[in-house]
Each structure stands twice: as C-alpha cells, then as structure tokens.
Amino acid sequence: MVIKNIITAVKNIYFGPTVTRMCPEVATKLSDRFRGLQKLDKDKCIGCGICANTCPNNAIKIIRARINPESDKQRWFPAIDVGHCLFCGLCIDQCPKEALSNSKVYLTGIIRWNHEDLLFTPDMLAREVDINAEDEAGEEVSRWTPQ
Ligand code: SF4
Ligand code: SF4
C-alpha cells in the first residue's frame, strides 16, 4: 500500500496535472460572481446611506468626499472598512442606484498589514486614486476614523 502511494505520487510529479500556482504572479481564474473590493460610481450615488444601514458588519460609513478629482464640491458617499467586510454583497444588492458593484480586486491593493490601511475612502472605491500606490497618493487617501 505504501509503495503504491509512493508510485502514484512520483507519477503525478511528472505526468499529473498542475495543482499549485505561483500566486500572485499567476492569477487565479475567478468566476463572474466573484465578490472582490467594491467599486463606487460617484455619479450614480445619492448618499442615501442604505448601503451603510444594510451592512451586517457595520463596515460602511457615509462620509463627505469630493464629487470628482477636479472639483472642490463635496457630497456624501460610502467609505468601507474592508477589514470588517464579509464581502456578502448586500450593500451592492440593496443600493437603489446601482452605484456599488463588485470588482475582482482581492490581492494587490487590498492586502495591507494595518487595519487603518484597510479603510477605503470614496475616492479609493471610485478608483480616483491608485489603490496600489497609496504612498504616492498623499492627501487623496486620507482615511476616516475607525469606529
Ligand atoms: S452607494 Fe448606493 S446605497 Fe450607498 S449611499 Fe450611494 S446610492 Fe445610497
Ligand atoms: S459586502 Fe457585506 S459586509 Fe461588506 S460592506 Fe457590503 S454589506 Fe458590508
């Protein structure tokens, strides 16, 4: 039995299918239903707060942010504490304006060492700043205070 197992293992090393990948160099193929970091369409968002009220983990806070990178005008938008997000998708399902959607971002841009770095501002959710280069983004990625 032991010999048989060893033979099977050796055979698989040379002739079996590849079962491991170099991550993140080789990306995992994701299904269309995959729920990664939320994406915000600021033009559609009306700041109603339904997403925040719906979130089962209290991960969303409605804060004031610029309506777009070129303007000084501000409105209310959701910010998401991704460190507390379950990626359940309820905020997306309940948004009356379809302002929130799923993206396939789940590695670069999300993996951070500190909880406060997982607080995604509206600018970040709208991808108005490069979420992979927060050091260069300066004030653009100023965080909201964790509750
Ligand atoms: S994302 Fe949708 S639910 Fe959330 S505040 Fe904007 S419009 Fe309302
Ligand atoms: S995906 Fe779920 S847990 Fe995450 S912010 Fe939306 S409602 Fe909250």
Side-chain angles (χ1 to χ4, degrees):
M1 184 67 177
V2 173
I3 299 287
K4 193 177 162 199
N5 286 346
I6 291 172
I7 291 170
T8 303
V10 170
K11 267 192 195 162
N12 270 296
I13 289 172
Y14 295 104
F15 307 111
T18 304
V19 292
T20 56
R21 286 180 300 271
M22 291 291 287
C23 182
E25 288 83 358
V26 179
T28 302
K29 193 171 183 312
L30 302 170
S31 84
D32 291 340
R33 296 180 302 165
F34 183 82
R35 295 194 288 253
L37 178 66
Q38 297 82 353
K39 196 163 187 185
L40 174 68
D41 184 335
K42 279 184 170 175
D43 292 334
K44 289 183 180 173
C45 178
I46 54 173
C48 63
I50 289 174
C51 53
N53 290 337
T54 301
C55 178
N57 228 23
N58 213 12
I60 304 182
K61 186 175 174 182
I62 303 297
I63 65 169
R64 286 182 72 80
R66 289 175 309 168
I67 57 172
N68 62 52
E70 286 79 42
S71 174
D72 288 332
K73 268 176 75 178
Q74 293 194 333
R75 279 203 291 113
W76 298 96
F77 295 106
I80 300 182
D81 178 352
V82 173
H84 283 163
C85 177
L86 307 165
F87 296 97
C88 63
L90 287 175
C91 52
I92 293 167
D93 292 346
Q94 296 301 312
C95 175
K97 294 292 178 182
E98 297 185 347
L100 281 174
S101 57
N102 289 309
S103 81
K104 292 191 176 172
V105 173
Y106 75 106
L107 284 173
T108 50
I110 287 201
I111 296 175
R112 313 274 174 86
W113 291 107
N114 300 312
H115 184 200
E116 61 267 26
D117 293 336
L118 286 166
L119 304 173
F120 278 72
T121 62
D123 292 356
M124 296 168 83
L125 293 172
R127 309 297 197 270
E128 289 169 358
V129 295
D130 182 358
I131 58 173
N132 296 312
E134 63 175 312
D135 287 346
E136 288 83 46
E139 283 183 8
E140 307 290 330
V141 292
S142 60
R143 315 285 182 176
W144 46 282
T145 310
Q147 297 299 301

